[in-house]
Structures are given as structure tokens and as C-alpha cells.
Amino acid sequence: MEAKRALVDDASLSVPAVEVIDLSSDSSDGGVEDTGERTAGAGKGTGPMGEPAEHEDGGDSDDQWESESLYADALEGMGDEHLLEGERDACTLDEAVAYRKQLRAVGEDRFVAETVQRGAVSAKKLCTAFGIRPPPFLEGAPDQAYYPLLGLGMARELSKRVKLPQHNTVDDAVRLLQESRNIIVLTGAGISTSLGIPDFRSKETGLYSKLEHLGLSDPQEVFDIEVFREDPSIFYSIAKDLLPSTDRFSPTHAFIRVLQENGKLLTNFSQNIDNLEAKAGIRADKLVQCHGSFATATCVKCRHRVQGEDIYPDLKAGRVARCPRCLQELLETRPAGLKRKRSGKHAKKGQGESDSSDEGDYDVPEAGVMKPDITFFGEDLPTRFHDRLVDHDRAKVDLVVVIGTSLKVAPVSEVVGFLPPDVPQIYISRTPVSHINFDVDLLGDCDVVVAELCRRAGWTLEHDMVPAGEEVEVELQAGHKSRYLLKRVGGS
């Protein structure tokens, strides 16, 4: 079974980049479930992109996939913060925590018998304990209509990694940083937003929120490889917003370098395409740019590669960049390269038609389009991502730190669930994720959080964006035992 699971896990890291649909809950840190992105093949859940996980009996995976597909568009995740606020017809946070413990203690069949079948709670209400908000189209339906949703919620809850109960405080996080020697740092767009580079999913400031004018059915299509092949101008029209204006890097980039300088960094898996980790001094052998970067660009036709800076003028102007090699070859061969278009099969020239024609009557060869070497949806990730994680890091890692990412794009979103469950995991970002839970959550501006961690660890974090004498307020979030809000309250 373990060998089978390992094979499934490895396969989940080799799929093309896709968006992960999140319907699952954000477990409380009250010693229940925590962290763990859904691990492919674990329990009766789903695989990395919502596909059915393998079952030894080959049983109900197809039915579960149909359930996910049916409800994916209708559901909005109900995180613990909603339960804490006391939403109508939903479990309280304390009730949800108790139900999660009960499910894990007795298993699905007995749990359903002791709750829904006994009449202790409705399936509709119980869904909310597992992060599922009942969809409006089921309003008024009999309680049995909510059974598929409840089954989905329970399966996802059971697939999560168990929180390590010994790690709960900010000082615990600091101690882990001090003691660990092989730290994986997984980073996203949130570590660059302080430099004016937008993230993708923030409701008002994120890149996706600004793309409605493009007329796409889904703003993510701007990074779809098929859309790029069909019309590269769509991507080029927004590419300038993704380019860093300078080589400046953030305090969070500097924090990763501090880990490297202290001999603690195993690997920085970056989802960012701005190449700022390299600018900050992260060594090439310690850096995996999971989604590529703007550092280079390749012709989609002849595969000629250039330095990214060579196409920056086109990117900044919103102009589709063409391959210099293709252009040179066209200049050398163009006189013999034009072929008259046919207006129809075996078409004959009509009486009185002229032999002259404008350029539109010819097939004019075009230079290939230069595509920045970033990973679009539908493309495979660099082989180094899989090889480094599976063949090198998995056996060595002793701490995972996730910074500035909502972990919504697979297969990178699968990393935390792929690693050994006894390895501590820390999450640093502005807002909590609702589909993964970590041992310690440190919420706030990433730069502020890492600066506070360095101060407590006795490390020097030199950066002009870290104010002298910075003071940070740390507050335990209500309803949680290991989630903290960090906010700058002073400093010159």
C-alpha cells in the first residue's frame, strides 16, 4: 500500500499546471486536523486536481468525481472564520472542531450513524463543519440531497495531515527556524507585492481582478497555453504589469537569503516569475523556479532562446515580440519565399482579371513569437521541480515554511502534502488558506512577519524597507491556538 501511495504521490507532482478548486475547510488548530494539502491516494479523497484518487477496490471514485464537478461552481468554502462569526444554520466553531475529532476517531460509517442517522444534526448543517457552504440551489430540498456534499467534506477532512500538537506559538516557530538545518521555503506572489508587483487573486488589487476588459470567460485564460498559441497579444497586453520595474527585492527575499547564509536553506521553491529570488542572491542550486521566469524567452517556432531583457521593450510596450533568428532568416529568403494563395481548388483566372495582386494574395511567412519561459496553465513544470523534490528534498527536509501563496495551483499546491507528515510546517501570509492548515499560522504583511522572526531569532535582516526600531504587535486570533496576527505598530 505504501509503495502504491508513493507512486501516486510522485505522479501528482508531474502533471501540467492547473488551478485547484477548493471546497474544503480550514481546520481549527485545536489539536485536530491540520495542514496537508490533499495527498493523492490518501484515504477516500480526491487527487491533486480534483480527479478521483485511486481506490484499492476501484469503487466509488467516479461517483465522487461527478459530485465534485456538479457542486464545484456552486460552492463557496466556509472557513473557520465564518463559523467563528456565527453564521445562520451553520455549526459553531467549537461544534465543528468536535465533529472533526469524532470523524477521525470513529471513521465515516460510524460517524454518519452517530450524527445524521441518529437525528443529532442535519446533513446540511454538518456540511458546514467540513468547510462546505450549502449551495442556494439545494435550498428547500430534503436533507438527503446534502449527503453527496457531506461525503465530499468528510473525505477531504480525512485526507488532511494531522497537526503536530507540540508546535503552536510564535516562539515555537522561531525555535524551529533556529534548530532546523534543511528548510524548504515555498514562496508565492505575496513576497513581491510590497515592491508594487501585483499578486493574482486579491479581490481589488490582484491581477485577475483587472482583466475583465479582455473579454475572457476566465481571467486565468491569459496564462492558458492554448490561448497564447491562438492569440499571444492577449498575454502581451498585460505582461508589463508582471515585470519588476527594478532589480530591487523585498525583505522577505532577504529573509530567504539569511536562511541560506546560515546554512539552513535546503531549497526555495518559488512560484514567482519575476526572478527576484535570483536577484536577492539565492544560489541557483538552492532555487527551483516552479513556474519559470522572465529571465529567458524562447521562440515557439524555431526554439531559439534569448535573454529575457532582450524582449523587455516589447513586453513593456504591450507588443508581441518576434524571434530575431526567424526575422533574420526571412530577410535572407523572403524574395523566393512568397507563394500565391489559391482562392479555391484548381481556381482559374477569370476573363479580364489582372496578373497583379496586392500582398494579401500571398502567404507571407512570419517570424515566430517569443514566449517568456514561464509555465502557462496546460504546460508541464520544469523537470527540476519534480527531480529536486522527489529525489533530493523529501528525505532531507526538517521544516517547511510557506510564504505569500494561497497554494491554489497544482502541482506546486501538492508539495506540502507530499512531504513527510511529521515535518513541521509554518504558514506566513496576509490571509489564511481554507484548504490547508499548518502547525503555526503567522498572518500579516510577509515583510513584517519575517522581520519579527529574525529579531526573535537574533538574526540580522538588513533591508531599507525594514524600519529602524520596528515594533510589531502579535495577537492570537480568536478561536485558534496556533494562528497569530502580526502588525507593525511602531518604528522610524
Side-chain angles (χ1 to χ4, degrees):
M1 181 64 180
E2 288 302 316
K4 178 179 177 181
R5 175 173 175 176
L7 287 172
V8 175
D9 283 350
D10 288 359
S12 76
L13 298 169
S14 303
V15 297
V18 301
E19 179 78 1
V20 175
I21 296 172
D22 164 33
L23 304 180
S24 59
S25 171
D26 170 15
S27 278
S28 158
D29 7 74
V32 216
E33 286 326 273
D34 229 50
T35 177
E37 173 71 13
R38 297 188 310 275
T39 303
K44 294 179 67 177
T46 56
M49 274 73 64
E51 78 277 18
E54 282 194 56
H55 296 268
E56 289 186 314
D57 58 5
D60 58 355
S61 62
D62 289 340
D63 291 338
Q64 183 164 356
W65 168 238
E66 289 175 3
S67 296
E68 288 207 45
S69 300
L70 176 62
Y71 296 116
D73 292 335
L75 291 181
E76 175 186 349
M78 180 173 283
D80 284 355
E81 64 274 13
H82 301 107
L83 302 181
L84 185 62
E85 293 168 0
E87 294 210 5
R88 181 184 177 187
D89 298 327
C91 294
T92 66
L93 181 57
D94 288 342
E95 288 174 336
V97 170
Y99 282 133
R100 295 168 194 165
K101 287 182 177 179
Q102 183 180 357
L103 170 64
R104 190 161 290 277
V106 303
E108 290 174 282
D109 293 342
R110 184 175 167 186
F111 176 76
V112 171
E114 293 178 354
T115 54
V116 176
Q117 293 179 356
R118 188 173 292 175
V121 62
S122 68
K124 176 182 178 181
K125 181 176 180 180
L126 195 52
C127 283
T128 65
F130 302 110
I132 295 180
R133 184 185 297 278
F137 70 78
L138 283 182
E139 190 62 37
D143 200 50
Q144 289 87 341
Y146 294 90
Y147 286 4
L149 284 173
L150 179 59
L152 176 61
M154 291 190 299
R156 294 193 171 191
E157 181 67 26
L158 288 171
S159 71
K160 292 180 180 178
R161 161 189 174 269
V162 177
K163 174 183 168 13
L164 302 179
Q166 66 269 36
H167 308 303
N168 297 291
T169 68
V170 177
D171 286 337
D172 286 339
V174 172
R175 175 181 49 78
L176 287 169
L177 289 169
Q178 291 173 321
E179 295 177 354
S180 300
R181 304 297 299 176
N182 290 289
I183 302 174
I184 285 180
V185 180
L186 200 162
T187 51
I191 74 170
S192 297
T193 53
S194 61
L195 303 171
I197 301 173
D199 64 7
F200 291 90
R201 294 174 179 81
S202 293
K203 290 184 178 180
E204 296 181 0
T205 60
L207 182 66
Y208 290 154
S209 69
K210 301 177 180 179
L211 300 182
E212 294 181 2
H213 68 283
L214 294 177
L216 301 173
S217 59
D218 183 339
Q220 292 177 102
E221 289 181 3
V222 77
F223 295 107
D224 187 288
I225 188 58
E226 295 302 326
V227 173
F228 182 87
R229 288 167 178 159
E230 182 178 332
D231 185 1
S233 68
I234 294 176
F235 168 77
Y236 271 89
S237 70
I238 61 92
K240 61 181 180 295
D241 295 326
L242 301 172
L243 289 176
S245 57
T246 68
D247 289 343
R248 193 181 191 199
F249 51 87
S250 73
T252 306
H253 292 99
F255 167 73
I256 302 170
R257 188 182 63 195
V258 167
L259 295 179
Q260 176 180 274
E261 291 171 345
N262 286 335
K264 295 177 175 293
L265 181 64
L266 180 60
T267 306
N268 177 194
F269 289 93
S270 172
Q271 298 175 89
N272 297 334
I273 56 179
D274 51 33
N275 201 39
L276 292 182
E277 291 86 0
K279 301 291 185 183
I282 306 305
R283 291 173 10 208
D285 63 310
K286 297 284 188 180
L287 176 63
V288 176
Q289 293 174 314
C290 307
H291 296 158
S293 78
F294 280 105
T296 57
T298 301
C299 174
V300 299
K301 182 179 290 187
C302 75
R303 310 308 299 168
H304 176 59
R305 176 170 289 183
V306 301
Q307 291 299 306
E309 288 86 349
D310 293 350
I311 67 168
Y312 273 19
D314 293 305
L315 290 167
K316 292 177 179 178
R319 180 177 59 242
V320 176
R322 296 288 176 174
C323 173
R325 175 186 287 175
C326 289
L327 287 171
Q328 182 61 37
E329 290 179 354
L330 287 174
L331 288 174
E332 295 172 355
T333 63
R334 183 165 183 168
L338 295 180
K339 297 180 180 180
R340 185 183 292 277
K341 290 181 179 178
R342 293 184 177 183
S343 58
K345 190 174 182 180
H346 308 301
K348 294 182 179 180
K349 195 183 301 179
Q351 189 175 13
E353 287 184 352
S354 169
D355 285 335
S356 64
S357 176
D358 59 24
E359 193 175 74
D361 292 331
Y362 291 86
D363 285 320
V364 181
E366 279 191 313
V369 173
M370 297 303 297
K371 175 186 171 293
D373 290 331
I374 62 178
T375 304
F376 280 57
F377 290 117
E379 289 189 302
D380 292 331
L381 269 64
T383 56
R384 176 167 159 76
F385 165 73
H386 178 275
D387 294 346
R388 177 80 178 187
L389 185 63
V390 175
D391 299 333
H392 183 267
D393 289 1
R394 190 182 196 187
K396 292 186 175 182
V397 59
D398 55 9
L399 177 64
V400 179
V401 182
V402 177
I403 315 178
T405 172
S406 57
L407 290 175
K408 290 292 184 70
V409 178
V412 177
S413 60
E414 298 301 308
V415 169
V416 293
F418 175 78
L419 297 171
D422 59 341
V423 173
Q425 299 181 357
I426 299 169
Y427 183 71
I428 300 171
S429 196
R430 285 186 177 276
T431 56
V433 292
S434 60
H435 59 298
I436 304 173
N437 301 278
F438 295 84
D439 296 317
V440 182
D441 294 304
L442 304 176
L443 307 181
D445 184 291
C446 296
D447 295 341
V448 172
V449 174
V450 299
E452 178 66 13
L453 292 175
C454 284
R455 271 191 293 274
R456 294 189 181 211
W459 300 338
T460 300
L461 182 66
E462 295 182 354
H463 199 286
D464 59 6
M465 291 173 63
V466 178
E470 181 180 50
E471 297 178 6
V472 175
E473 177 183 87
V474 179
E475 176 185 353
L476 179 66
Q477 189 174 62
H480 296 269
K481 294 183 178 180
S482 60
R483 178 178 294 174
Y484 298 85
L485 307 176
L486 287 81
K487 181 174 64 175
R488 179 186 293 154
V489 293
S492 55

